[in-house]
Amino acid sequence: MIYIGLTGWGDHYSLYPADLKAKDKLAEYSSYFPTVEVDASFYAVQPIRNAEKWVNETPQSFRFVVKAYQGMTGHQRTELPYPSKTEMFEAFKASLVPYIEADKLAMVLFQFPPWFDCKEEHILYLKYCKQRMANIPVALEFRHQSWFAKPNREKTLTYMRTDNWIHAIADEPQAGDGSIPIVPEATNQQTTLIRFHGRNVHGWNRPKTKSTNWREVRYLYNYNQAELLEWKQRIKVLEEQSQDIYLLFNNNSGGDAANNAQTLQQMLGIDYQDLASQQLRLF
């Protein structure tokens, strides 16, 4: 099955009535899309009550891609709020229980930072992460070009297949070492993830001078018809390699993610039948 959705559900204003309260946005979102990426989990391990609430607000067929906590991927450079890495991983896994019990966890996404390059130390850490996560499905997204440079590309893919990582394929600007090319190959027969970050080459890398709106500029991009048609062809090939394909649009600085997702859905001829009801809009 192909699941199309967005990263987060709070900022996609084109989907929602102007007076919709924040607490009602996920339920409204799930009337449009069958999956979403939980970004809040990157900034802090979420209380179990949050996952319970989100699970209860969505249809039975809805699926969550939960982003790994930043302390687990090396983004957080300050002191971690846990006595040890083991306790950090255990706390994160405990926060996943409501998703797992409701059969709504698609995967946990480990997105590593641009300085996480291809070297033995980091390969060992990937193995540690996989071991700590045990049987929970995990996806792997790199941000350093070295993993898919010519000498390493096939070794990286082989390692991911061997350790059963879900490949998080990225569509992003080609802007030096801190970006990776499109590598449309599945590494897990059950699941593949594709994340659309946009192609804003000039805004991708953090400027040397401080910029208050850099992250907003970074994901400012609207995919055109030709670019989405290219992905339609890639997705058809990936369907032969992996049973479930998850597509998440992250290019929402200008509010383009929802429209791009719906356009690609139309191109693929998908009509989701088991979304949340929209009847409440009539009252």
Side-chain angles (χ1 to χ4, degrees), residues 147-276:
W147 294 95
F148 292 116
K150 227 172 193 178
N152 298 327
R153 174 182 163 130
E154 292 309 314
K155 292 178 182 178
T156 297
L157 292 170
T158 297
Y159 161 68
M160 291 174 71
R161 291 187 180 103
T162 301
D163 272 18
N164 206 28
W165 283 95
I166 295 165
H167 189 187
I169 301 166
D171 184 304
E172 63 191 34
Q174 299 306 289
D177 288 344
S179 58
I180 60 170
I182 296 172
V183 181
E185 292 193 36
T187 57
N188 180 292
Q189 293 183 352
Q190 178 62 41
T191 311
T192 295
L193 173 62
I194 304 167
R195 298 179 81 233
F196 295 85
H197 299 299
R199 300 180 183 181
N200 186 351
V201 175
H202 302 293
W204 186 249
N205 293 318
R206 184 190 292 272
K208 293 180 181 178
T209 56
K210 287 187 177 181
S211 174
T212 56
N213 65 344
W214 169 65
R215 292 195 179 279
E216 293 179 11
V217 172
R218 189 178 206 197
Y219 300 107
L220 185 62
Y221 194 80
N222 184 16
Y223 286 93
N224 62 41
Q225 291 282 117
E227 290 165 341
L228 293 176
L229 281 171
E230 288 175 4
W231 269 106
K232 177 182 177 180
Q233 300 308 314
R234 293 188 184 107
I235 291 163
K236 293 298 182 185
V237 174
L238 285 166
E239 278 189 289
E240 299 176 3
Q241 303 174 19
S242 200
Q243 183 174 323
D244 294 323
I245 312 290
Y246 286 79
L247 316 174
L248 295 172
F249 282 81
N250 191 35
N251 58 317
N252 201 50
S253 294
D256 297 306
N259 180 60
N260 286 166
Q262 290 172 323
T263 299
L264 185 55
Q265 179 182 335
Q266 292 170 0
M267 286 180 175
L268 292 167
I270 297 172
D271 182 18
Y272 295 114
Q273 298 296 319
D274 46 3
L275 300 175

Side-chain angles (χ1 to χ4, degrees), residues 73 110-127 140-160 163 165 167-168 172 176-183 187:
T73 54
F110 281 75
Q111 181 196 64
F112 285 92
W115 54 87
F116 190 85
D117 57 351
C118 183
K119 60 184 179 182
E120 185 177 1
E121 173 190 348
H122 291 157
I123 294 169
L124 290 173
Y125 185 69
L126 291 178
K127 290 182 175 294
L140 179 54
E141 180 179 351
F142 295 113
R143 278 280 170 88
H144 194 280
Q145 205 172 64
S146 59
W147 294 95
F148 292 116
K150 227 172 193 178
N152 298 327
R153 174 182 163 130
E154 292 309 314
K155 292 178 182 178
T156 297
L157 292 170
T158 297
Y159 161 68
M160 291 174 71
D163 272 18
W165 283 95
H167 189 187
E172 63 191 34
D177 288 344
S179 58
I180 60 170
I182 296 172
V183 181
T187 57

Side-chain angles (χ1 to χ4, degrees), residues 1 3 34-35 58-63 103-104 246 274-275:
M1 179 173 171
Y3 295 82
T35 188
T58 50
Q60 183 57 47
S61 60
F62 196 84
R63 297 292 180 268
D103 194 26
K104 289 189 176 185
Y246 286 79
D274 46 3
L275 300 175

Side-chain angles (χ1 to χ4, degrees), residues 38 40-51 54 91-92 95 99:
V38 178
S41 55
F42 173 77
Y43 299 100
V45 174
Q46 295 297 294
I48 288 177
R49 65 177 181 275
N50 286 0
W54 299 333
F92 182 81
S95 74
Y99 303 110

